[in-house]
Amino acid sequence: MTVGAPDRTATRALSARRIASAPCSFGVDEVVADDAWVPGPDEMLDWMLGIGYRGTELGAPGYLGTGREARVRLERRGLALVGAFLPQHFSRADRAAADREWLREQVTRLRDASPEGSRPFAVLCEAIDEPDRLRWSGRIADHPQTRLDAARHRTLVDNLHRAAELVASLGLPAVIHPHAGTYIETDHEIERLMEVLDPSLVGLCLDTGHFRYGGADPVRRIRDYAGAVRHVHIKDCRASVLGTLPDGAGFVGAVKAGVFCPLGEGDSDIPGSMAALAAIGYEGWLVVEQDTALTLDITRAQLVATQRGN
């Protein structure tokens, strides 16, 4: 498995860490879902196991089957379940009740899917369907009208905390995932949230690719938010792609243009991020994500070889 070329100290420090994958690396994406084809759940899990991963996130709701079916699939292969990506409309009070009911259903599925010994995170995220944020994703500084005002930001924080309480009541931990194309995209927006986040309720899922996409320095922010980092997505971002897109291409256009690239080919400083994680004593899962859009000319062998680092 290739994760760039980290320095030897970082490699030794993290060699014993738990390395997981996610279905989005194999074209099974919760956000961009118009791939030409997707692998079946069993073949994908077999690929993960063959590559050497020790765990996985759940992927799109239902992809691995019911909670029981997913658990059987994972236990058969000795794979841990490390999390599930669960977007919510935190900034919209009128969506809170419906979102929490959906969240209850999904966290129950996540709990039921967990093999013995797994304690996966509910990876909470602000909704990725706000038209203005999707359209101007990557260029928020030029479109300040798309930022949340004080009232809606308070609503976001309150709903996030309430969602985390719900997750805890169901026996699992919660983290918040700052994500491109949402109201928590830019470095300033991440900082604004972290200033008021209650770490007793919800931790931080630090995604090195999405942090870089929004203008944050992942290495610096790993240090700054060390006390809150509880889950990590290792992803690379080629930020220069954002400057080449036509107006309005937005998040989906950026993804299709390759803004998230193979590890070591972008600007997220994967070696530095790994060293920073070692320095703060991070002992949680590292979920390697290399978002892949599957076209008809990508074969199964090519997909596996890419994820293996060949």
Side-chain angles (χ1 to χ4, degrees):
M1 177 169 46
T2 299
V3 290
D7 65 69
R8 294 183 182 277
T9 300
T11 302
R12 286 196 298 269
L14 290 168
S15 62
R17 298 293 184 259
R18 296 171 292 175
I19 311 296
S21 185
C24 64
S25 292
F26 297 87
V28 185
D29 198 299
E30 299 95 332
V31 181
V32 181
D34 60 351
D35 295 74
W37 63 277
V38 294
D42 289 305
E43 64 178 336
M44 185 204 67
L45 292 175
D46 286 342
W47 292 340
M48 287 184 181
L49 190 63
I51 291 169
Y53 289 113
R54 298 172 61 186
T56 181
E57 291 199 349
L58 195 58
Y63 174 70
L64 294 182
T66 65
R68 177 174 174 77
E69 289 168 344
R71 178 171 180 163
V72 169
R73 283 187 161 113
L74 295 172
E75 287 182 335
R76 187 181 299 146
R77 296 168 174 84
L79 289 169
L81 183 57
V82 306
F85 185 69
L86 302 170
Q88 304 273 281
H89 300 85
F90 292 124
S91 70
R92 296 197 176 275
D94 62 324
R95 302 291 294 270
D99 277 357
R100 280 181 208 150
E101 185 57 36
W102 180 85
L103 181 62
R104 182 182 296 276
E105 294 172 0
Q106 297 306 316
V107 174
T108 299
R109 181 197 295 266
L110 177 61
R111 187 179 60 190
D112 293 345
S114 301
E116 187 72 26
S118 291
R119 193 165 183 260
F121 285 99
V123 182
L124 304 176
C125 178
E126 170 65 359
I128 315 170
D129 61 3
E130 297 280 353
D132 57 344
R133 295 298 292 205
L134 286 172
R135 181 182 184 190
W136 299 116
S137 177
R139 299 184 180 181
I140 300 303
D142 298 328
H143 298 275
Q145 75 280 3
T146 68
R147 296 171 180 156
L148 290 180
D149 60 24
R152 277 190 69 188
H153 191 262
R154 286 193 297 270
T155 297
L156 181 151
V157 174
D158 182 64
N159 281 330
L160 170 59
H161 286 156
R162 301 296 79 76
E165 288 175 339
L166 172 59
V167 173
S169 75
L170 295 171
L172 293 179
V175 288
I176 179 65
H177 182 329
H179 197 288
T182 77
Y183 288 117
I184 316 173
E185 173 180 300
T186 69
D187 191 34
H188 171 73
E189 289 165 339
I190 296 169
E191 185 175 43
R192 185 185 187 191
L193 175 64
M194 295 304 294
E195 288 174 351
V196 294
L197 193 71
D198 183 346
S200 71
L201 293 176
V202 58
L204 175 64
C205 173
L206 196 150
D207 184 305
T208 57
H210 283 277
F211 266 57
R212 182 67 187 91
Y213 182 112
D217 176 353
V219 175
R220 174 188 170 195
R221 290 314 195 184
I222 288 169
R223 295 193 297 262
D224 291 344
Y225 304 142
V229 175
R230 295 174 196 164
H231 197 50
V232 172
H233 288 176
I234 296 293
K235 178 181 290 184
D236 215 342
C237 172
R238 191 181 289 115
S240 59
V241 168
L242 297 174
T244 68
L245 300 174
D247 279 354
F251 175 61
V252 174
V255 171
K256 291 184 176 180
V259 70
F260 297 125
C261 55
L263 300 185
E265 295 184 11
D267 315 310
S268 294
D269 190 1
I270 301 301
S273 295
M274 293 177 70
L277 290 167
I280 68 170
Y282 178 74
E283 296 183 344
W285 285 96
L286 296 173
V287 183
V288 176
E289 291 189 338
Q290 298 186 86
D291 292 9
T292 301
L294 296 178
T295 59
L296 290 175
D297 60 345
I298 297 177
T299 67
R300 281 166 162 76
Q302 289 170 334
L303 176 59
V304 174
T306 297
Q307 296 307 311
R308 186 175 280 122
N310 297 341

